[in-house]
Amino acid sequence: MQIPTATYRIQFHTNFDFKAAKSIVAYLQELGISDIYASPIFKAREGSTHGYDIVDPTQLNPELGTEEDFEALVSEIKHRNMGWLQDIVPNHMAYDGQNKFLIDVLENGPDSDFFDYFDIAWNQPYEDINRRVLAPLLGNFYGDCLESGEIELRYDQFGLSINYYNLKLPVRIESYVSFITQNLGQLTKKLGKEHPDFVKLLGVLYVLKNIPSEVKGRERYDQIAFAKGLLWELYTQNSDVQEFIDHNIEFFNGEKGTPESFNFLDSLLTEQFYRLAFWKVGAEEINYRRFFTVNELISLKVEEVKVFHKTHSLISQLVEEGKITGLRIDHIDGLYDPSEYLSRLREKMGDVYLTVEKILELQEQLPTTWPIQGTSGYDFLNYVNGIFCCCQNEQPLRDTYVEFTKLDEFYEELVKQKKLLIINNNLAGDLENLAQILKRLAGHTRLSSDFTLYGLKRALVAVLALFPVYRTYISPRGISDADRYYVWEVIAKAKEQEPRLLKELDYIQKILLGDVEEYLTKEQKEELLHFVMRLQQLTGPLMAKGVEDTLLYVYNQLLSLNEVGGNPSHFGISLAVFHDFNQRRSEHWQYSINATATHDTKRGEDVRARLNVISEIPEEWERQVKTWSEINREKKTIINGKAVPDANDEYFLYQTLVGTFPFAENELNHFTKRIKDYVIKAVREAKVHTAWLRHDADYEEGYLSFVESALEPSETNQFLKEFMPFQKLVSHYGRYNSLAQTLLKNTAPGIPDLYQGTELWDLSMVDPDNRRPVDYELRTTWLQDIKTKIETDSLQLIDELLSAQENGKIKLFLTYKLLQARKDNLVLFQQGNYQPLEVIGKFKDNLVAFARRTQEKTAITIAPRFFTSLIKPGELPLGEQVWHDTRIKLSPEMPSVWKNSLTSQIIQGDGILQIGEVLKHFPVALLIN
């Protein structure tokens, strides 16, 4: 197994393709990266900017380059002895006309070779989607789209198709008969019954009427291909046939203003294996599983062996050929049986590095039975971020937030509220499907036969809204102690809140725990387990949409804590908890990824580093917010008697500006546009005043006007005059937080990952803002300059970097030095144990210190924090005049002589490390004996 030293996440798209990646491989190697970490590279929907909307996992994405381009990139990576960690998407594909597997299903229904590839519930109580899959892809109500002519029937060499703007769906072959026979008499008169082409057309009709059904294999496909081919031949070679078909197309497409003229197309559409519908229908009636609530992403039944092997054929080949050396599995919790999937994946891929995208609550443990190396790093991100939040100031910041916004509900109650919002508005159809299964199960026993669908649905809502983790992993192999505890916990809480549903909740608990009646048949027991597996697939999307994509845009007490996998109710974490986390990692998951920024994070790593400074200065923050609000009061728009934006959105904006404000003044104009794009996404995600499902244009325009006015670059803008001194103060301290965070990421147990471009300051917002182009020419030039100056005079270089921190070059220097140290001491950092170190003296709470040890070597990490109590604005956190008597106690068996890997200075230990001496030249330190 090739374990990475450090990974570098690349977001592939049309403007950054295989050739572009090849051009930066040398730079990445020089920086110290061992493995590129690639976003999905398989064929995605045309124009995809992220690659997760895959249409064919058996092909490389042609928009990223040719096969030769890919091979050239692989060759360059291999030439430099680097690896390739590949993000794969086993859970879903795009619901799109470019998805050939899905199109085959939509054209052939149960006769498709791919009929059971997608997670579709074909048997439904709703007649209009029974034996048909819903296609909620229209921008308006079906009838309006039809009668406005937006839905069109077309014909080309591939056959008849239904088209709605860029969407193209097939027409089932049996429907060709009704199309061809319409107005056929007119063609008969023109050609005559004896005309060879008319006879051929009748032959096409005969074949179409006798297409074999319910028979898998090539016979049906061959006859369809023959009929389509012959029809196209007639169309292209006989002008009368062409005129006839074109006329029929026009006839079926109706005439705007004449509703009855669309009856024929409407009738044709009712024959299809899909039902076109307004996209909002998918929230309430749906018979396929989606990725979260995204209608355009349809889930796969990857638990089916043939589906697994088909969808993993190309990636398996690339792994076998040694081109891909590691895999990152996207959305592991969306799978029917994650443990079985991972076992199957391990068997197919062999001894390859595997990580999973898994969200873990604080103190929640990754299943130790999974045959993987760890997670993609959200757990590390939230632990390391938490130690830079000053826990002791929670109450004053809470008071400021409540006073400013008048929102005083507790976080746990808000979690329940937002999950209920998502259940009712976005996942009602998914809930209905689950409740229908449960109702059917209840009928199997006399003790549950009186349960109504309404009562069971209410009980399910209570359980889902209170579920404490992303999901449990109950399976045919049993239930873990941890999952048993989660079930007990959620049912107990649900009973407190729904005392009238005690029996229904007891029934759900029995099913979840496998405590079922012995007299049930094998099939009935299997159905019970199937319900459990289905429920587990729903808790994750609900948590993601309710918390990450809703509540984290509403609960704005301190935005640095509002992160994927985070829990803002924990106002920071203690050093003891952080050390405990790292010790567990060193023992069980030493190859897990350490991330501080990803393509999915809510804000850049250095934005969080800045915002954590607010937790250190609550009084100053309160004063500033009140001042800004007073200045900006007149900039608000009054709509229906209420000021826009409201206080909570205003509070959100001020933190966002503090965290993301650029260093360079010439970026301000572009920054204003970025902020405007971001706040609209934020308020829609919050779903309070506006939403993706229901835009409130007045509120959005009022908010945009407020942003534009607040950021107007004029001499008369009093807000910016008051804002900038505080922002610069926070930025000053935030830079040191960032350097400390960078040190911890690279030296704690795990594999450090850099998200593209974050080797300089990362002041990005949520996607798509974090996918802006990266200037690699600048980074390459600066890295060469750093390397040259390290060789000549390292301390002089450090002085230069400290005097020009705003350009981010100091972060690049630190990253480079740490990655070189990892490379030179690989066994130590990959396998060394983890030992917290005792800090004593005046600023003992301002230091994070630990050792990584093997029998041969020891490394000591020294990362300061809470800089506002250490230095005044503009000062450097260096030397004894700052650190006074602060020191680290070393155990007797530790060496007495150390070398600082960052500054090359030699440090004498003798059982004590004086921090003023260790941090004499640089704000953080990595000592190696």
Side-chain angles (χ1 to χ4, degrees):
M1 182 182 297
Q2 184 170 326
I3 303 296
T5 302
T7 60
Y8 191 95
R9 173 73 178 203
I10 291 174
Q11 293 295 110
F12 280 108
H13 48 81
T14 52
N15 295 319
F16 194 90
D17 55 13
F18 294 140
K19 286 183 178 178
K22 180 176 179 288
S23 70
I24 68 167
V25 171
Y27 159 74
L28 296 180
Q29 183 201 33
E30 213 164 349
L31 183 62
I33 299 298
S34 67
D35 293 63
I36 69 160
Y37 170 14
S39 65
I41 60 170
F42 306 107
K43 188 175 181 182
R45 181 186 291 156
E46 288 180 9
S48 174
T49 59
H50 49 75
Y52 288 94
D53 45 358
I54 288 172
V55 297
D56 189 351
T58 68
Q59 293 184 49
L60 293 174
N61 191 345
E63 294 191 353
L64 303 182
T66 64
E67 191 81 31
E68 291 73 24
D69 295 332
F70 173 72
E71 292 297 336
L73 173 56
V74 170
S75 178
E76 178 72 5
I77 288 170
K78 284 189 171 184
H79 171 68
R80 297 182 180 278
N81 295 315
M82 296 171 68
W84 184 318
L85 175 61
Q86 180 59 53
D87 195 346
I88 64 171
V89 189
N91 180 68
H92 58 266
M93 294 177 68
Y95 199 141
D96 192 272
Q98 300 167 48
N99 183 342
K100 65 181 183 181
F101 304 126
L102 180 61
I103 291 304
D104 196 283
V105 174
L106 299 183
E107 183 172 5
N108 295 290
D111 296 312
S112 169
D113 284 350
F114 307 101
F115 181 68
D116 50 3
Y117 268 51
F118 298 95
D119 205 341
I120 301 169
W122 292 98
N123 297 314
Q124 284 287 310
Y126 301 111
E127 186 60 33
D128 57 353
I129 54 173
N130 187 37
R131 308 304 296 171
R132 303 168 74 196
V133 61
L134 190 71
L137 306 171
L138 302 179
N140 202 346
F141 286 95
Y142 165 76
D144 293 333
C145 292
L146 182 71
E147 294 183 9
S148 67
E150 293 175 321
I151 301 173
E152 292 183 325
L153 181 68
R154 295 178 190 167
Y155 178 68
D156 58 24
Q157 67 186 93
F158 301 106
L160 293 169
S161 62
I162 300 296
N163 297 263
Y164 175 75
Y165 295 100
N166 293 329
L167 179 67
K168 180 178 181 180
L169 300 179
V171 171
R172 63 182 294 185
I173 199 67
E174 290 81 2
S175 294
Y176 281 60
V177 175
S178 57
F179 173 80
I180 293 174
T181 54
Q182 189 67 44
N183 303 315
L184 186 59
Q186 296 177 12
L187 184 63
T188 308
K189 291 178 182 178
K190 274 194 173 185
L191 289 179
K193 294 183 179 180
E194 306 301 323
H195 192 287
D197 285 344
F198 187 77
V199 173
K200 286 182 181 178
L201 185 61
L202 292 179
V204 170
L205 276 173
Y206 177 82
V207 171
L208 291 173
K209 290 178 179 179
N210 293 278
I211 292 287
S213 184
E214 299 181 6
V215 178
K216 303 289 183 185
R218 290 310 318 163
E219 183 180 357
R220 175 181 170 84
Y221 283 97
D222 289 343
Q223 290 197 27
I224 290 173
F226 172 77
K228 284 185 176 181
L230 186 54
L231 186 62
W232 180 249
E233 181 182 303
L234 291 170
Y235 179 84
T236 55
Q237 295 182 4
N238 187 304
S239 59
D240 291 325
V241 173
Q242 184 175 109
E243 183 182 344
F244 162 71
I245 290 178
D246 288 346
H247 177 266
N248 271 6
I249 292 290
E250 185 178 348
F251 175 80
F252 271 79
N253 281 333
E255 181 181 345
K256 292 181 185 178
T258 311
E260 62 272 17
S261 68
F262 294 93
N263 290 349
F264 291 93
L265 182 55
D266 181 45
S267 178
L268 185 79
L269 284 166
T270 62
E271 299 174 5
Q272 304 313 307
F273 290 115
Y274 52 89
R275 180 203 152 199
L276 278 173
F278 187 18
W279 64 271
K280 291 184 179 180
V281 172
E284 299 178 11
E285 295 178 7
I286 194 146
N287 63 342
Y288 67 92
R289 189 169 59 85
R290 302 163 291 174
F291 172 74
F292 293 171
T293 58
V294 184
N295 292 346
E296 294 83 3
L297 296 175
I298 184 169
S299 293
L300 287 158
K301 294 179 72 174
V302 76
E303 63 271 17
E304 298 287 338
V305 175
K306 66 177 181 180
V307 179
F308 172 84
H309 286 298
K310 180 69 173 180
T311 56
H312 289 68
S313 58
L314 177 55
I315 188 64
S316 175
Q317 176 189 332
L318 296 175
V319 168
E320 188 176 338
E321 293 171 350
K323 296 171 182 174
I324 302 295
T325 55
L327 301 177
R328 180 259 197 192
I329 295 88
D330 181 65
H331 190 37
I332 189 69
D333 282 344
L335 304 184
Y336 189 73
D337 189 344
S339 182
E340 181 184 68
Y341 169 80
L342 290 170
S343 296
R344 191 174 288 161
L345 187 70
R346 173 60 72 194
E347 183 179 355
K348 188 174 184 68
M349 300 299 174
D351 195 30
V352 68
Y353 178 74
L354 294 181
T355 63
V356 297
E357 183 200 35
K358 168 63 189 161
I359 305 300
L360 295 163
E361 289 295 309
L362 193 69
Q363 304 294 358
E364 182 187 359
Q365 303 301 309
L366 191 64
T368 55
T369 56
W370 285 2
I372 60 173
Q373 275 57 63
T375 72
S376 58
Y378 290 115
D379 46 353
F380 178 83
L381 183 155
N382 283 287
Y383 275 92
V384 77
N385 181 68
I387 60 173
F388 290 96
C389 176
C390 193
C391 305
Q392 67 190 43
N393 289 329
E394 178 176 12
Q395 194 57 51
L397 276 172
R398 169 78 178 166
D399 292 342
T400 299
Y401 178 59
V402 171
E403 182 185 353
F404 190 91
T405 65
K406 305 301 185 285
L407 301 174
D408 61 354
E409 290 181 279
F410 288 106
Y411 181 80
E412 289 75 12
E413 178 60 27
L414 287 170
V415 169
K416 188 185 82 169
Q417 288 180 19
K418 299 310 176 185
K419 289 172 80 171
L420 287 172
L421 175 72
I422 298 300
I423 291 172
N424 293 323
N425 291 353
N426 302 83
L427 293 173
D430 303 83
L431 172 67
E432 176 71 21
N433 294 338
L434 196 61
Q436 290 285 355
I437 298 174
L438 189 57
K439 171 63 176 171
R440 189 167 63 248
L441 294 174
H444 292 334
T445 66
R446 66 180 69 93
L447 294 177
S448 56
S449 60
D450 283 346
F451 292 154
T452 65
L453 179 64
Y454 176 75
L456 291 171
K457 191 183 293 187
R458 283 182 60 199
L460 277 174
V461 167
V463 171
L464 290 167
L466 295 169
F467 217 78
V469 291
Y470 252 66
R471 70 165 283 170
T472 50
Y473 301 98
I474 302 165
S475 73
R477 294 168 297 283
I479 178 171
S480 69
D481 290 341
D483 287 345
R484 192 180 302 277
Y485 172 77
Y486 294 136
V487 171
W488 285 336
E489 180 185 22
V490 72
I491 296 296
K493 287 184 179 179
K495 285 179 176 179
E496 289 178 8
Q497 300 195 9
E498 296 287 353
R500 296 183 180 182
L501 299 172
L502 297 183
K503 285 189 175 293
E504 287 88 345
L505 290 166
D506 277 333
Y507 178 61
I508 292 173
Q509 177 172 294
K510 285 183 177 181
I511 295 176
L512 291 174
L513 297 179
D515 183 14
V516 298
E517 289 81 353
E518 285 301 320
Y519 60 78
L520 293 177
T521 67
K522 179 183 177 183
E523 289 74 19
Q524 289 172 335
K525 290 178 180 178
E526 287 175 349
E527 196 173 1
L528 287 167
L529 180 60
H530 175 67
F531 165 79
V532 175
M533 307 287 273
R534 280 301 194 204
L535 184 144
Q536 291 179 137
Q537 284 182 292
L538 186 56
T539 56
L542 177 57
M543 183 77 85
K545 297 307 295 182
V547 178
E548 288 176 17
D549 292 344
T550 304
L551 182 53
L552 295 190
Y553 290 93
V554 174
Y555 187 80
N556 301 325
Q557 182 173 311
L558 184 63
L559 292 184
S560 56
L561 304 179
N562 292 19
E563 197 46 86
V564 179
N567 185 330
S569 70
H570 300 290
F571 195 83
I573 62 170
S574 68
L575 276 184
V577 171
F578 178 70
H579 288 315
D580 181 60
F581 166 75
N582 281 320
Q583 284 177 312
R584 289 198 311 271
R585 262 191 157 209
S586 71
E587 294 166 5
H588 302 291
W589 303 109
Q590 67 266 42
Y591 301 139
S592 197
I593 287 179
N594 293 349
T596 45
T598 78
H599 60 288
D600 275 335
T601 40
K602 299 300 183 185
R603 47 195 52 83
E605 60 184 50
D606 298 318
V607 177
R608 289 194 303 275
R610 282 182 179 180
L611 292 175
N612 280 326
V613 175
I614 293 173
S615 73
E616 303 176 44
I617 49 174
E619 294 82 7
E620 178 62 15
W621 169 249
E622 179 183 24
R623 190 184 72 78
Q624 290 291 337
V625 167
K626 288 180 177 179
T627 300
W628 301 336
S629 181
E630 188 62 35
I631 292 171
N632 289 331
R633 190 182 306 277
E634 294 181 356
K635 297 173 182 175
K636 292 192 174 188
T637 305
I638 305 300
I639 300 175
N640 297 325
K642 295 183 178 180
V644 176
D646 75 359
N648 196 34
D649 289 337
E650 185 181 3
Y651 203 80
F652 176 93
L653 175 64
Y654 292 148
Q655 289 187 69
T656 298
L657 294 178
V658 169
T660 61
F661 208 88
F663 288 107
E665 290 186 11
N666 61 7
E667 293 182 29
L668 185 57
N669 287 336
H670 183 55
F671 175 69
T672 300
K673 181 183 183 307
R674 289 172 53 212
I675 289 290
K676 289 167 70 175
D677 291 342
Y678 176 58
V679 297
I680 292 304
K681 177 168 183 171
V683 291
R684 288 180 181 175
E685 294 283 23
K687 305 171 188 66
V688 175
H689 301 290
T690 184
W692 298 108
L693 289 174
R694 47 167 186 83
H695 296 179
D696 185 326
D698 291 338
Y699 189 88
E700 292 181 5
E701 286 301 320
Y703 200 172
L704 292 176
S705 175
F706 182 81
V707 170
E708 201 165 83
S709 179
L711 294 178
E712 182 185 1
S714 69
E715 290 296 323
T716 59
N717 189 337
Q718 191 62 32
F719 166 67
L720 283 182
K721 288 181 180 179
E722 289 287 340
F723 171 79
M724 288 309 301
F726 180 79
Q727 195 281 325
K728 287 183 180 297
L729 176 141
V730 170
S731 174
H732 172 72
Y733 292 119
R735 292 194 293 271
Y736 298 124
N737 276 352
S738 175
L739 296 178
Q741 178 177 257
T742 300
L743 172 67
L744 294 172
K745 175 173 71 174
N746 283 278
T747 59
I751 309 298
D753 171 55
L754 276 75
Y755 181 73
Q756 60 180 29
T758 59
E759 56 270 39
L760 298 184
W761 302 130
D762 174 23
L763 301 178
S764 59
M765 291 163 269
V766 75
D767 73 286
D769 191 69
N770 62 7
R771 294 200 298 266
R772 287 170 296 143
V774 177
D775 187 345
Y776 284 109
E777 287 187 13
L778 174 68
R779 285 162 173 78
T780 302
T781 300
W782 279 4
L783 181 58
Q784 292 301 328
D785 182 59
I786 286 169
K787 290 180 65 178
T788 300
K789 290 180 177 177
I790 286 173
E791 295 299 321
T792 53
D793 192 334
S794 184
L795 292 182
Q796 182 180 339
L797 168 63
I798 289 172
D799 287 342
E800 291 176 13
L801 297 174
L802 287 169
S803 65
Q805 296 177 36
E806 293 189 351
N807 62 21
K809 199 172 180 180
I810 191 170
K811 187 181 179 187
L812 178 63
F813 163 81
L814 176 61
T815 300
Y816 168 73
K817 293 292 284 185
L818 292 172
L819 291 178
Q820 299 310 308
R822 282 189 66 86
K823 213 161 48 169
D824 295 340
N825 302 275
L826 194 54
V827 174
L828 174 63
F829 287 108
Q830 286 191 346
Q831 299 176 21
N833 64 22
Y834 182 92
Q835 179 181 332
L837 297 178
E838 182 183 359
V839 184
I840 55 179
K842 181 178 180 180
F843 293 112
K844 63 179 182 179
D845 294 330
N846 294 66
L847 219 57
V848 183
F850 58 82
R852 302 293 310 282
R853 303 188 66 188
T854 62
Q855 289 185 343
E856 291 78 23
K857 281 187 179 180
T858 301
I860 291 178
T861 290
I862 301 173
R865 61 177 185 158
F866 305 153
F867 290 91
T868 60
S869 60
L870 280 173
I871 53 174
K872 295 178 181 178
E875 292 183 348
L876 298 174
L878 305 177
E880 293 182 8
Q881 71 275 17
V882 170
W883 288 101
H884 298 279
D885 65 341
T886 311
R887 55 203 185 277
I888 294 174
K889 289 179 66 175
L890 302 179
S891 56
E893 68 273 13
M894 282 194 179
S896 58
V897 179
W898 305 85
K899 182 178 181 180
N900 188 334
S901 295
L902 309 180
T903 64
S904 298
Q905 71 185 114
I906 302 300
I907 305 293
Q908 293 290 334
D910 296 327
I912 291 288
L913 290 175
Q914 294 290 345
I915 299 305
E917 175 64 20
V918 174
L919 300 182
K920 183 178 180 179
H921 300 292
F922 199 77
V924 301
L926 174 62
L927 309 183
I928 300 179
N929 73 300

mmCIF file of all heavy atoms in Angstrom, residues 621-633:
data_model
loop_
_atom_site.group_PDB
_atom_site.id
_atom_site.type_symbol
_atom_site.label_atom_id
_atom_site.label_comp_id
_atom_site.label_asym_id
_atom_site.label_seq_id
_atom_site.Cartn_x
_atom_site.Cartn_y
_atom_site.Cartn_z
ATOM 1 N N TRP A 621 -15.613 43.211 20.317
ATOM 2 C CA TRP A 621 -16.521 42.789 19.243
ATOM 3 C C TRP A 621 -17.908 43.400 19.457
ATOM 4 O O TRP A 621 -18.518 43.926 18.518
ATOM 5 C CB TRP A 621 -16.605 41.272 19.192
ATOM 6 C CG TRP A 621 -17.708 40.744 18.311
ATOM 7 C CD1 TRP A 621 -18.839 40.104 18.703
ATOM 8 C CD2 TRP A 621 -17.780 40.820 16.881
ATOM 9 N NE1 TRP A 621 -19.616 39.778 17.619
ATOM 10 C CE2 TRP A 621 -18.992 40.215 16.484
ATOM 11 C CE3 TRP A 621 -16.952 41.361 15.898
ATOM 12 C CZ2 TRP A 621 -19.384 40.119 15.152
ATOM 13 C CZ3 TRP A 621 -17.355 41.272 14.557
ATOM 14 C CH2 TRP A 621 -18.542 40.650 14.198
ATOM 15 N N GLU A 622 -18.401 43.350 20.667
ATOM 16 C CA GLU A 622 -19.725 43.913 20.959
ATOM 17 C C GLU A 622 -19.757 45.408 20.634
ATOM 18 O O GLU A 622 -20.710 45.910 20.016
ATOM 19 C CB GLU A 622 -20.074 43.689 22.432
ATOM 20 C CG GLU A 622 -21.439 44.263 22.815
ATOM 21 C CD GLU A 622 -21.740 44.095 24.291
ATOM 22 O OE1 GLU A 622 -20.780 43.977 25.089
ATOM 23 O OE2 GLU A 622 -22.927 44.084 24.651
ATOM 24 N N ARG A 623 -18.711 46.109 21.049
ATOM 25 C CA ARG A 623 -18.663 47.549 20.788
ATOM 26 C C ARG A 623 -18.658 47.841 19.289
ATOM 27 O O ARG A 623 -19.361 48.731 18.817
ATOM 28 C CB ARG A 623 -17.415 48.153 21.445
ATOM 29 C CG ARG A 623 -17.387 49.677 21.429
ATOM 30 C CD ARG A 623 -16.096 50.229 21.992
ATOM 31 N NE ARG A 623 -14.964 50.012 21.093
ATOM 32 C CZ ARG A 623 -14.735 50.763 20.013
ATOM 33 N NH1 ARG A 623 -15.541 51.767 19.713
ATOM 34 N NH2 ARG A 623 -13.697 50.518 19.248
ATOM 35 N N GLN A 624 -17.864 47.074 18.547
ATOM 36 C CA GLN A 624 -17.750 47.286 17.107
ATOM 37 C C GLN A 624 -19.074 47.019 16.396
ATOM 38 O O GLN A 624 -19.508 47.810 15.551
ATOM 39 C CB GLN A 624 -16.659 46.371 16.531
ATOM 40 C CG GLN A 624 -15.252 46.746 16.941
ATOM 41 C CD GLN A 624 -14.786 48.046 16.312
ATOM 42 O OE1 GLN A 624 -15.293 48.470 15.277
ATOM 43 N NE2 GLN A 624 -13.830 48.693 16.954
ATOM 44 N N VAL A 625 -19.717 45.909 16.715
ATOM 45 C CA VAL A 625 -20.958 45.537 16.040
ATOM 46 C C VAL A 625 -22.032 46.596 16.271
ATOM 47 O O VAL A 625 -22.775 46.978 15.348
ATOM 48 C CB VAL A 625 -21.443 44.144 16.524
ATOM 49 C CG1 VAL A 625 -22.878 43.885 16.077
ATOM 50 C CG2 VAL A 625 -20.533 43.057 15.992
ATOM 51 N N LYS A 626 -22.116 47.093 17.493
ATOM 52 C CA LYS A 626 -23.106 48.131 17.793
ATOM 53 C C LYS A 626 -22.803 49.403 17.014
ATOM 54 O O LYS A 626 -23.710 50.068 16.491
ATOM 55 C CB LYS A 626 -23.140 48.411 19.293
ATOM 56 C CG LYS A 626 -23.786 47.292 20.100
ATOM 57 C CD LYS A 626 -23.787 47.621 21.593
ATOM 58 C CE LYS A 626 -24.504 46.523 22.382
ATOM 59 N NZ LYS A 626 -24.496 46.792 23.844
ATOM 60 N N THR A 627 -21.524 49.749 16.924
ATOM 61 C CA THR A 627 -21.128 50.954 16.176
ATOM 62 C C THR A 627 -21.469 50.809 14.695
ATOM 63 O O THR A 627 -22.057 51.709 14.088
ATOM 64 C CB THR A 627 -19.611 51.208 16.334
ATOM 65 O OG1 THR A 627 -19.306 51.398 17.720
ATOM 66 C CG2 THR A 627 -19.183 52.438 15.542
ATOM 67 N N TRP A 628 -21.100 49.667 14.106
ATOM 68 C CA TRP A 628 -21.374 49.444 12.682
ATOM 69 C C TRP A 628 -22.869 49.474 12.399
ATOM 70 O O TRP A 628 -23.320 50.043 11.412
ATOM 71 C CB TRP A 628 -20.797 48.103 12.233
ATOM 72 C CG TRP A 628 -19.313 47.975 12.429
ATOM 73 C CD1 TRP A 628 -18.402 48.973 12.510
ATOM 74 C CD2 TRP A 628 -18.585 46.748 12.559
ATOM 75 N NE1 TRP A 628 -17.142 48.455 12.694
ATOM 76 C CE2 TRP A 628 -17.219 47.093 12.720
ATOM 77 C CE3 TRP A 628 -18.930 45.404 12.567
ATOM 78 C CZ2 TRP A 628 -16.219 46.129 12.884
ATOM 79 C CZ3 TRP A 628 -17.946 44.435 12.714
ATOM 80 C CH2 TRP A 628 -16.604 44.804 12.875
ATOM 81 N N SER A 629 -23.625 48.836 13.277
ATOM 82 C CA SER A 629 -25.064 48.766 13.069
ATOM 83 C C SER A 629 -25.694 50.153 13.102
ATOM 84 O O SER A 629 -26.595 50.463 12.309
ATOM 85 C CB SER A 629 -25.697 47.863 14.130
ATOM 86 O OG SER A 629 -27.079 47.756 13.940
ATOM 87 N N GLU A 630 -25.213 50.987 14.015
ATOM 88 C CA GLU A 630 -25.733 52.351 14.111
ATOM 89 C C GLU A 630 -25.413 53.140 12.846
ATOM 90 O O GLU A 630 -26.259 53.858 12.301
ATOM 91 C CB GLU A 630 -25.141 53.037 15.345
ATOM 92 C CG GLU A 630 -25.754 54.402 15.655
ATOM 93 C CD GLU A 630 -27.246 54.316 15.959
ATOM 94 O OE1 GLU A 630 -27.689 53.317 16.570
ATOM 95 O OE2 GLU A 630 -27.961 55.255 15.554
ATOM 96 N N ILE A 631 -24.192 52.991 12.359
ATOM 97 C CA ILE A 631 -23.774 53.692 11.142
ATOM 98 C C ILE A 631 -24.609 53.241 9.947
ATOM 99 O O ILE A 631 -25.014 54.043 9.107
ATOM 100 C CB ILE A 631 -22.275 53.447 10.863
ATOM 101 C CG1 ILE A 631 -21.420 54.128 11.930
ATOM 102 C CG2 ILE A 631 -21.894 53.925 9.468
ATOM 103 C CD1 ILE A 631 -19.950 53.742 11.849
ATOM 104 N N ASN A 632 -24.874 51.942 9.868
ATOM 105 C CA ASN A 632 -25.533 51.369 8.689
ATOM 106 C C ASN A 632 -27.052 51.348 8.776
ATOM 107 O O ASN A 632 -27.720 50.859 7.850
ATOM 108 C CB ASN A 632 -25.033 49.933 8.468
ATOM 109 C CG ASN A 632 -23.603 49.890 7.975
ATOM 110 O OD1 ASN A 632 -23.148 50.814 7.305
ATOM 111 N ND2 ASN A 632 -22.889 48.822 8.303
ATOM 112 N N ARG A 633 -27.605 51.869 9.852
ATOM 113 C CA ARG A 633 -29.057 51.798 10.036
ATOM 114 C C ARG A 633 -29.806 52.399 8.850
ATOM 115 O O ARG A 633 -30.797 51.842 8.366
ATOM 116 C CB ARG A 633 -29.435 52.512 11.327
ATOM 117 C CG ARG A 633 -30.886 52.295 11.752
ATOM 118 C CD ARG A 633 -31.211 53.078 13.025
ATOM 119 N NE ARG A 633 -30.281 52.767 14.089
ATOM 120 C CZ ARG A 633 -30.378 51.705 14.903
ATOM 121 N NH1 ARG A 633 -31.377 50.854 14.727
ATOM 122 N NH2 ARG A 633 -29.501 51.496 15.856
#
